[in-house]
Amino acid sequence: MRFVQLDTPKPISKIGLGTWQFGSKEWGYGPDYERRAADIVRRALELGVTLFDTAELYGFGRSERILGAALGDDRAKVVVASKIFPVLPIAPVVQQRAVASAARLGVSSIDLYQVHQPNPVVADTTTMRGMRVLQDVGLVGEVGVSNYHLRRWRFAEAALGRRVLSNQVRYSMVDRGPEEDLIPYAEQAGRVVIAYSPLAQGFLSGRYDAKNPPSGAVRRANPYFLPENLDRGTALIATLREVADAHDATPSQIALAHVLRHPNVVAIPGASSVEQMERNAAAAEIDLTDDEYAALSTEARQFRPITGLAAVPKLVRARTGR
């Protein structure tokens, strides 16, 4: 496993484990899922993964409980990250919710506590006042944000009066907005961009095409999986496969390696099996050549999916069969 080269109390692995699926019925949560989740977490630990990301919103607290139980005595050795969903993120509420998350996780301190979304009404001034108290009493180690644009990330830092270590954003070969400003800022300032959906919910895995679309509700709601977009992505997937063959790897591993090439980026793909966790972790060891990286980047830029409002009627037809 490789790690971000930053001054943090615990090392942050380049591949982490995202646990949105833990306890979430839309991802197949059921009676035997907690045992399977525990197996995934234990294998991740064996592979050197140190970053485990959850949120109070995931499974309405179940993800935190499942993750904390699975980590067991190893909770103190790794970076346990959670997120507050900012319905009313004033200072006292932030403090109360952190206490609740820590209890579900079974930890005395949350290593990285993040604001899940920017609140359009409540300023970060009051939110970060609560975060600062949590740091002062030792209940929170590092503070992070999620889905923040650069200006608000920097404002949050000013409000906290300390570093806001990370910004967790959607970032993949086909969602490359963070490359414009967030990633350069992270590299310049010694911060971290945490990439969620680094495989675009499996679009970059090569498992799906227009004749073989995904069946799950979450992916069916993603415009990338419209038949037209699956067709448009054919050239990109072909290039991923070509590079994967050269490294005896999978397209998913190459897509992860592409994201991880930035030194201050870590990725937190989910895993539905121990085998998938093993493949994800192995991606951290893949070194793309300059030519391979350029070829992949070129194909990614040429991918023009139907998204936004233009995708809505197509998504409705895909869901209803009309």
Side-chain angles (χ1 to χ4, degrees):
M1 180 55 63
R2 294 175 177 175
F3 301 88
V4 178
Q5 300 302 304
L6 283 180
D7 178 22
T8 53
K10 301 174 187 178
I12 299 174
S13 54
K14 290 284 283 179
I15 287 284
L17 176 62
T19 63
W20 175 17
Q21 70 274 27
F22 287 11
S24 299
K25 292 182 179 179
E26 61 266 33
W27 285 108
Y29 173 74
D32 70 333
Y33 200 102
E34 292 191 26
R35 176 191 55 76
R36 184 160 29 119
D39 290 342
I40 293 168
V41 170
R42 301 311 303 175
R43 185 58 179 143
L45 289 166
E46 292 170 355
L47 294 166
V49 172
T50 63
L51 175 61
F52 294 84
D53 180 80
T54 183
E56 64 176 9
L57 185 66
Y58 298 165
F60 301 103
R62 285 192 298 266
S63 174
E64 290 177 321
R65 291 193 183 94
I66 293 169
L67 176 61
L71 287 170
D73 293 340
D74 288 310
R75 286 178 294 230
K77 302 175 185 176
V78 299
V79 178
V80 178
S82 193
K83 296 184 283 291
I84 176 176
F85 193 73
V87 174
L88 184 64
I90 59 175
V93 172
V94 171
Q95 295 164 39
Q96 293 165 6
R97 303 265 281 280
V99 169
S101 282
R104 287 190 291 268
L105 286 161
V107 298
S108 58
S109 177
I110 302 172
D111 298 293
L112 175 61
Y113 197 42
Q114 306 153 97
V115 183
H116 206 146
Q117 299 276 353
N119 188 292
V121 177
V122 179
D124 289 306
T125 309
T126 181
T127 303
M128 291 301 154
R129 186 162 61 247
M131 289 288 195
R132 189 163 57 248
V133 170
L134 290 169
Q135 284 186 308
D136 288 344
V137 300
L139 189 62
V140 164
E142 298 280 358
V143 173
V145 293
S146 182
N147 299 302
Y148 273 44
H149 56 66
L150 178 57
R151 184 178 178 183
R152 187 151 183 177
W153 185 5
R154 299 181 75 165
F155 180 84
E157 283 206 317
L160 183 65
R162 302 163 185 169
R163 71 178 180 185
V164 173
L165 177 65
S166 61
N167 192 354
Q168 186 177 142
V169 294
R170 185 186 299 275
Y171 176 48
S172 70
M173 289 181 65
V174 293
D175 293 295
R176 302 183 66 177
E179 293 178 0
E180 296 176 10
D181 53 6
L182 297 181
I183 292 174
Y185 172 71
E187 293 179 2
Q188 172 265 320
R191 303 292 185 264
V192 180
V193 168
I194 301 176
Y196 72 80
S197 288
L199 300 175
Q201 293 188 346
F203 177 83
L204 296 168
S205 70
R207 292 173 53 197
Y208 307 107
D209 57 40
K211 295 180 180 178
N212 179 38
S215 58
V218 175
R219 290 190 176 97
R220 286 205 314 270
N222 186 332
Y224 283 149
F225 294 102
L226 288 170
E228 296 96 323
N229 287 338
L230 288 166
D231 276 339
R232 293 183 183 196
T234 300
L236 173 57
I237 299 302
T239 304
L240 277 168
R241 288 199 174 105
E242 181 181 344
V243 176
D245 288 344
H247 289 267
D248 192 23
T250 67
S252 293
Q253 289 175 314
I254 298 303
L256 288 173
H258 189 275
V259 164
L260 297 180
R261 206 167 192 257
H262 299 284
N264 288 56
V265 171
V266 303
I268 51 169
S272 59
S273 68
V274 167
E275 293 76 19
Q276 188 176 14
M277 184 67 251
E278 291 170 341
R279 291 192 295 271
N280 290 344
E285 305 296 332
I286 296 174
D287 291 312
L288 300 175
T289 68
D290 291 343
D291 287 346
E292 289 170 339
Y293 184 80
L296 290 164
S297 298
T298 297
E299 288 296 344
R301 283 192 294 269
Q302 291 177 352
F303 173 57
R304 295 285 191 273
I306 302 167
T307 58
L309 292 175
V312 172
K314 296 178 182 294
L315 285 169
V316 171
R317 286 197 295 272
R319 292 292 294 271
T320 62
R322 296 178 182 176

